[in-house]
Amino acid sequence: MKGSIILMISAAAAKLLGAVFKIPLTNILGGVGMSYFSCAYSLFMPVYSLTVTGLSSAVARMTAQSAALGMYANAAKVRRTALTIFSLAGLVGSLLIFLLAKPFSVYSIGSPEAWLAVAMIAPAVFFGCITAVERGYYEGMSNMYPTAFSQVAEGIVKAAAGLLLCGYVMNYPQVITGYFPYITDIRAIAAAAGIAGVTLSTAGAALFFGAVRLFTKTPESSESYVMSRKAIVRELMATALPVGVSALVTNLTALIDMWTVIGCISYFGSSMTAPEGVSEGELPYFIYGSFAGIALTVFNLVPSVTNMLGKGALTCITAAYENKDKKALEYGTLQALLTSAVIAVPAAVGMTVLAPELLSFLYPQQTDEAAFCVDSLRWLMVGMVCLCVSYPLFSMLQAVGKTSSPLKIMLLGTAVKLMGNLALIPFMGVDGAALSTSLCYAVILIVSLRTYIKATKLHIGAAQFGKVVYSGAMCGGAAYLVSSVLKKAEASQITVIAASAAVGGIVYLGLIVTLMGKISTKRSKSA
């Protein structure tokens, strides 16, 4: 739990820095400009996930196993081997994105001017692979501080460099356009400048770990057996590939949104009138850029924090499962899942109740985009809760040897997402994409939980989670009443948000402490 808390705090700080980056960036670029930025991300994230996400988990799992047995020399060899193999994989991934930048922009999304942003993000895959190995090694050694500090450093560089570069392009267009004569929209160049900040942040994280290695020593050990390089590669690939492909499938939902939202709205049209400064031809890109840049940005804030619970739980769940300690396994499982739910539920309820005020406050310069995303954000909130709880489950499935299960589950969820988008967008517009996202993650959570329970033969009671949902509902009711009174009194947006969140939070915390205390008392009496 200590490791999880460290990672959650760092993830929260990194997400706060991400919001400091993404929200002003959206205010600078607008809906159409964010479509260029989001198009680059939609290609980058699948390649990045394939090469990086599974790698970190695989290295962490192998390192944790070696450390549990005191085989520190073996853990060090795992680290060296992974750095060699996956640095090469990162180079291939970077080259792939760079080569695909123009054809992807022209033939996939019909926006040739997005190619510069796509090309600018390519080196991030290489640096991300190096960072993933180092993070996995330290997490496997139960040292979460390097991961935590690197996330914060990455967020600082991204916010500072991305906003400075993007702002410079928008302020001095006459200087910049001469270097890119084939790009006519300055927002495309500005989006690429913002993406350059992301690439620089991954380079900064890799340099951070280089500095950490200079000041840390590998624990000494004298074990007689060390795995061969071939065996290490085989085991790394056996774990990393299924997890990486699962993450790839997860990020395919972004590609699905890009293709189906732009394609369906271009074909079926939209009930929305194009705002001032946006032509009818640009409207599908405006809608997609607003949805991806605003609604999905807010949606992803909380899941990225609870994802750290999975990383923190992986080591202890692995140890408990290897040692056949069922009590420790059950305790670690409930701790991770309940903590995820306790964080996710009030956040989702608060965003649902306060969606108009929250988006208007965060995006004051993009009022059309913010107003357009209110209903979409509300449709996404059930999916956000499901995703928050699913992240730890995926890590725990890996810990108990079910490395291929997340891939199968995500494929099922992606199929639900694709069918939902195609069925709902023609009738609901982009709100249909939001609803299908919630359906996708609800299916993923149900199937993941069932698979984990079957694998571990644990009994996970629903009472605790019911208390969390009830507390969340009361929190939402209190926040709604306070916001209604303050809006009638014509209070400012910040007053409505702060007061409603404070009252709802107090109600939620009071109920959680009371109800969870009753559950603990009943457990101790029964024991």
Side-chain angles (χ1 to χ4, degrees), residues 293-498:
I294 294 179
L296 290 181
T297 295
V298 176
F299 166 81
N300 282 314
L301 289 174
V302 181
S304 62
V305 175
T306 61
N307 186 26
M308 298 302 107
L309 280 168
K311 290 191 172 188
L314 187 143
T315 304
C316 68
I317 295 294
T318 300
Y321 187 75
E322 294 288 335
N323 294 326
K324 295 181 172 54
D325 187 344
K326 193 167 184 179
K327 285 188 177 180
L329 187 64
E330 181 179 354
Y331 179 73
T333 298
L334 281 174
Q335 208 173 43
L337 297 183
L338 268 177
T339 305
S340 297
V342 165
I343 294 170
V345 168
V349 169
M351 289 181 192
T352 301
V353 173
L354 300 171
E357 293 77 21
L358 184 64
L359 293 183
S360 295
F361 175 73
L362 292 176
Y363 301 95
Q365 297 176 27
Q366 304 297 335
T367 53
D368 291 326
E369 290 90 335
F372 171 73
C373 289
V374 168
D375 290 337
S376 298
L377 183 62
R378 286 171 167 163
W379 282 113
L380 285 167
M381 286 301 98
V382 172
M384 189 191 82
V385 174
C386 294
L387 180 59
C388 284
V389 182
S390 296
Y391 271 143
L393 272 172
F394 281 172
S395 293
M396 292 188 290
L397 282 169
Q398 297 159 27
V400 299
K402 291 286 183 179
T403 54
S404 64
S405 293
L407 170 59
K408 298 172 185 175
I409 294 166
M410 286 307 306
L411 282 171
L412 175 62
T414 303
V416 171
K417 170 67 177 170
L418 177 59
M419 291 186 293
N421 273 24
L422 293 175
L424 296 173
I425 292 175
F427 302 100
M428 297 176 63
V430 77
D431 292 346
L435 175 56
S436 71
T437 297
S438 286
L439 293 174
C440 162
Y441 289 122
V443 169
I444 286 169
L445 174 60
I446 292 168
V447 178
S448 298
L449 188 59
R450 183 179 177 184
T451 304
Y452 183 75
I453 290 172
K454 186 176 180 180
T456 58
K457 297 180 173 57
L458 293 179
H459 174 70
I460 301 176
Q464 297 96 319
F465 299 96
K467 305 290 185 184
V468 174
V469 172
Y470 173 77
S471 301
M474 294 300 101
C475 161
Y480 178 76
L481 289 174
V482 172
S483 66
S484 298
V485 171
L486 290 176
K487 280 189 280 188
K488 284 182 181 178
E490 298 183 351
S492 64
Q493 280 185 347
I494 187 63
T495 302
V496 173
I497 293 171

Side-chain angles (χ1 to χ4, degrees), residues 114-381:
W115 74 268
L116 183 60
V118 177
M120 197 66 72
I121 207 168
V125 175
F126 170 69
F127 294 119
C129 283
I130 296 173
T131 303
V133 172
E134 296 290 358
R135 284 176 176 169
Y137 172 78
Y138 287 110
E139 288 165 15
M141 298 293 286
S142 296
N143 181 4
M144 307 301 174
Y145 289 106
T147 295
F149 288 130
S150 71
Q151 286 178 329
V152 175
E154 194 172 346
I156 291 172
V157 174
K158 178 168 62 177
L163 291 177
L164 284 173
L165 292 170
C166 184
Y168 181 83
V169 171
M170 293 298 286
N171 289 328
Y172 301 98
Q174 68 280 2
V175 176
I176 301 298
T177 50
Y179 294 99
F180 304 98
Y182 298 107
I183 297 180
T184 58
D185 191 345
I186 191 63
R187 292 171 295 186
I189 304 175
I195 287 288
V198 177
T199 297
L200 289 172
S201 72
T202 61
L207 289 173
F208 170 84
F209 278 107
V212 169
R213 292 194 70 169
L214 294 175
F215 298 100
T216 57
K217 291 183 178 180
T218 302
E220 295 183 2
S221 63
S222 57
E223 68 261 30
S224 58
Y225 172 74
V226 177
M227 294 174 69
S228 68
R229 188 178 294 266
K230 185 177 179 180
I232 290 172
V233 172
R234 185 165 56 245
E235 188 167 339
L236 279 173
M237 297 301 288
T239 304
L241 273 180
V243 177
V245 174
S246 299
L248 168 65
V249 173
T250 303
N251 286 282
L252 286 179
T253 58
L255 283 173
I256 290 172
D257 277 332
M258 183 186 67
W259 286 324
T260 55
V261 170
I262 293 175
C264 288
I265 291 175
S266 297
Y267 185 80
F268 293 102
S270 172
S271 58
M272 177 184 178
T273 303
E276 186 179 350
V278 178
S279 66
E280 287 298 325
E282 290 178 327
L283 184 59
Y285 298 96
F286 171 86
I287 292 173
Y288 168 69
S290 301
F291 177 67
I294 294 179
L296 290 181
T297 295
V298 176
F299 166 81
N300 282 314
L301 289 174
V302 181
S304 62
V305 175
T306 61
N307 186 26
M308 298 302 107
L309 280 168
K311 290 191 172 188
L314 187 143
T315 304
C316 68
I317 295 294
T318 300
Y321 187 75
E322 294 288 335
N323 294 326
K324 295 181 172 54
D325 187 344
K326 193 167 184 179
K327 285 188 177 180
L329 187 64
E330 181 179 354
Y331 179 73
T333 298
L334 281 174
Q335 208 173 43
L337 297 183
L338 268 177
T339 305
S340 297
V342 165
I343 294 170
V345 168
V349 169
M351 289 181 192
T352 301
V353 173
L354 300 171
E357 293 77 21
L358 184 64
L359 293 183
S360 295
F361 175 73
L362 292 176
Y363 301 95
Q365 297 176 27
Q366 304 297 335
T367 53
D368 291 326
E369 290 90 335
F372 171 73
C373 289
V374 168
D375 290 337
S376 298
L377 183 62
R378 286 171 167 163
W379 282 113
L380 285 167
M381 286 301 98

